[in-house]
Coordinates of all heavy atoms in Angstrom, one line a residue:
E198 N 32.9 93.5 97.2 CA 32.7 94.2 98.5 C 33.9 95.1 98.9 O 33.7 96.2 99.4 CB 32.4 93.2 99.6 CG 31.1 92.4 99.5 CD 29.9 93.3 99.8 OE1 30.0 94.4 100.2 OE2 28.8 92.7 99.6
D199 N 35.1 94.6 98.6 CA 36.3 95.3 99.0 C 36.4 96.7 98.3 O 36.8 97.7 98.8 CB 37.6 94.5 98.8 CG 37.7 93.3 99.7 OD1 37.0 93.4 100.8 OD2 38.3 92.3 99.4
A200 N 36.1 96.6 97.0 CA 36.2 97.8 96.1 C 34.9 98.7 96.3 O 35.0 99.9 95.9 CB 36.4 97.4 94.7
G201 N 33.8 98.1 96.8 CA 32.6 98.9 96.9 C 32.0 99.2 95.5 O 31.4 100.2 95.3
T202 N 32.1 98.2 94.6 CA 31.6 98.3 93.3 C 30.8 97.0 93.0 O 31.0 96.0 93.6 CB 32.7 98.5 92.2 OG1 33.5 97.4 92.2 CG2 33.4 99.8 92.5
A203 N 29.9 97.1 92.0 CA 29.1 96.0 91.5 C 28.7 96.2 90.1 O 28.6 97.3 89.6 CB 27.9 95.8 92.5
T204 N 28.4 95.1 89.5 CA 27.8 95.1 88.1 C 26.5 94.2 88.2 O 26.4 93.3 89.0 CB 28.7 94.6 87.0 OG1 29.1 93.2 87.3 CG2 30.0 95.4 86.9
A205 N 25.6 94.5 87.3 CA 24.4 93.7 87.2 C 24.0 93.6 85.7 O 24.2 94.6 85.0 CB 23.3 94.3 88.0
R206 N 23.5 92.5 85.4 CA 22.9 92.2 84.1 C 21.5 91.7 84.3 O 21.2 91.0 85.3 CB 23.7 91.2 83.3 CG 25.1 91.6 83.1 CD 25.8 90.7 82.1 NE 25.8 89.3 82.4 CZ 26.7 88.6 83.1 NH1 27.7 89.2 83.6 NH2 26.6 87.3 83.2
A207 N 20.6 92.1 83.4 CA 19.2 91.6 83.6 C 18.5 91.8 82.2 O 18.9 92.5 81.4 CB 18.4 92.4 84.6
Y208 N 17.4 91.1 82.1 CA 16.5 91.3 80.9 C 15.4 92.2 81.4 O 15.0 92.2 82.5 CB 15.9 89.9 80.5 CG 16.8 88.9 79.9 CD1 16.4 87.6 79.7 CD2 18.1 89.2 79.5 CE1 17.2 86.7 79.1 CE2 19.0 88.3 79.0 CZ 18.5 87.0 78.8 OH 19.3 86.1 78.2
F209 N 14.8 92.9 80.4 CA 13.6 93.7 80.7 C 12.6 93.4 79.6 O 12.9 93.1 78.4 CB 13.8 95.2 80.8 CG 14.3 95.9 79.5 CD1 13.3 96.3 78.6 CD2 15.6 96.1 79.3 CE1 13.7 96.9 77.4 CE2 16.0 96.8 78.2 CZ 15.1 97.2 77.2
T210 N 11.3 93.4 80.0 CA 10.2 93.3 79.1 C 9.2 94.4 79.5 O 8.9 94.5 80.7 CB 9.5 91.9 79.3 OG1 10.5 90.9 79.1 CG2 8.4 91.7 78.3
V211 N 8.8 95.2 78.5 CA 7.9 96.3 78.8 C 6.5 95.9 78.2 O 6.4 95.7 77.0 CB 8.4 97.6 78.3 CG1 7.5 98.7 78.6 CG2 9.8 97.9 78.8
L212 N 5.5 95.9 79.0 CA 4.1 95.7 78.6 C 3.4 97.1 78.7 O 3.7 97.9 79.5 CB 3.4 94.7 79.5 CG 4.0 93.3 79.5 CD1 4.9 93.1 80.7 CD2 2.9 92.3 79.5
Q213 N 2.4 97.2 77.8 CA 1.6 98.5 77.8 C 0.2 98.1 77.4 O 0.0 97.3 76.5 CB 2.2 99.5 76.9 CG 1.5 100.9 76.9 CD 2.1 101.9 76.0 OE1 2.5 101.6 74.9 NE2 2.2 103.1 76.5
A214 N -0.7 98.9 78.0 CA -2.1 98.8 77.5 C -2.7 100.2 77.6 O -2.6 100.9 78.6 CB -2.9 97.9 78.5
V215 N -3.3 100.7 76.5 CA -3.9 102.0 76.4 C -5.2 101.7 75.6 O -5.4 100.7 75.0 CB -3.1 103.0 75.7 CG1 -1.8 103.3 76.5 CG2 -2.7 102.6 74.3
P216 N -6.2 102.7 75.6 CA -7.4 102.4 74.9 C -7.2 102.0 73.4 O -8.0 101.2 72.9 CB -8.2 103.8 75.0 CG -7.7 104.3 76.3 CD -6.2 103.9 76.4
E217 N -6.2 102.6 72.8 CA -5.9 102.3 71.4 C -5.1 101.0 71.2 O -4.9 100.6 70.0 CB -5.2 103.4 70.7 CG -5.8 104.7 70.8 CD -5.5 105.5 72.1 OE1 -4.9 105.0 73.0 OE2 -6.0 106.7 72.2
L218 N -4.6 100.4 72.3 CA -3.7 99.3 72.2 C -4.0 98.3 73.3 O -3.9 98.6 74.4 CB -2.3 99.8 72.3 CG -1.1 98.8 72.3 CD1 -0.9 98.4 70.8 CD2 0.1 99.4 72.8
P219 N -4.4 97.0 72.9 CA -4.7 96.0 74.0 C -3.3 95.7 74.6 O -2.3 95.9 74.1 CB -5.3 94.9 73.2 CG -4.8 95.0 71.8 CD -4.7 96.5 71.6
L220 N -3.4 95.1 75.8 CA -2.2 94.7 76.5 C -1.3 93.9 75.7 O -1.7 92.9 75.1 CB -2.6 93.9 77.8 CG -1.4 93.4 78.6 CD1 -0.6 94.6 79.2 CD2 -1.9 92.5 79.7
Q221 N 0.0 94.3 75.6 CA 0.9 93.6 74.8 C 2.3 94.0 75.1 O 2.6 95.0 75.8 CB 0.7 93.8 73.3 CG 0.9 95.2 72.8 CD 0.5 95.3 71.3 OE1 1.4 95.3 70.5 NE2 -0.8 95.5 71.0
I222 N 3.3 93.2 74.7 CA 4.7 93.5 74.9 C 5.1 94.5 73.9 O 4.8 94.3 72.7 CB 5.6 92.2 74.8 CG1 5.2 91.3 76.0 CG2 7.1 92.6 74.8 CD1 5.8 89.9 75.9
I223 N 5.7 95.6 74.3 CA 6.1 96.7 73.3 C 7.6 96.7 73.2 O 8.1 97.3 72.2 CB 5.6 98.0 73.7 CG1 6.0 98.5 75.1 CG2 4.0 98.0 73.6 CD1 5.8 100.0 75.4
A224 N 8.4 96.1 74.1 CA 9.9 96.1 74.0 C 10.4 95.1 74.9 O 9.9 94.8 76.0 CB 10.4 97.5 74.4
A225 N 11.6 94.6 74.5 CA 12.4 93.7 75.4 C 13.8 93.9 75.1 O 14.2 94.2 74.0 CB 12.0 92.2 75.1
G226 N 14.6 93.7 76.1 CA 16.1 93.9 75.9 C 16.8 93.6 77.2 O 16.4 92.8 78.0
R227 N 18.0 94.2 77.3 CA 18.9 93.9 78.4 C 19.3 95.2 79.1 O 19.4 96.3 78.5 CB 20.2 93.3 77.9 CG 20.0 92.0 77.1 CD 21.4 91.6 76.4 NE 21.2 90.5 75.6 CZ 21.5 89.3 75.9 NH1 22.0 89.0 77.1 NH2 21.3 88.3 75.1
Y228 N 19.6 95.1 80.4 CA 20.2 96.1 81.2 C 21.6 95.7 81.5 O 21.9 94.5 81.8 CB 19.5 96.3 82.5 CG 18.1 96.9 82.5 CD1 17.1 96.3 83.2 CD2 17.8 98.1 81.8 CE1 15.8 96.8 83.2 CE2 16.6 98.6 81.7 CZ 15.6 98.0 82.5 OH 14.3 98.5 82.4
R229 N 22.5 96.6 81.5 CA 23.9 96.5 81.9 C 24.2 97.6 82.9 O 24.3 98.8 82.5 CB 24.9 96.5 80.8 CG 24.7 95.4 79.7 CD 25.3 94.1 80.3 NE 25.3 93.1 79.3 CZ 24.3 92.1 79.2 NH1 23.3 92.2 80.0 NH2 24.4 91.2 78.3
D230 N 24.3 97.3 84.2 CA 24.3 98.4 85.2 C 25.6 98.3 86.0 O 26.2 97.2 86.2 CB 23.1 98.2 86.2 CG 21.8 98.2 85.5 OD1 21.7 98.7 84.4 OD2 20.9 97.7 86.1

């Protein structure tokens, strides 16, 4: 708070569904923000 800065870590999972592809996970990884 004093410096007015922050860091964040998180996981992401990306799902997608299109006519040629049934709903599924297409990517997973990490964010470092």
Side-chain angles (χ1 to χ4, degrees):
E198 292 287 356
D199 293 335
T202 60
T204 60
R206 298 189 311 264
Y208 292 169
F209 67 84
T210 305
V211 183
L212 297 98
Q213 185 179 41
V215 297
E217 303 86 355
L218 180 77
L220 179 64
Q221 62 184 267
I222 296 170
I223 60 168
R227 300 170 188 260
Y228 292 131
R229 297 285 185 261
D230 306 337

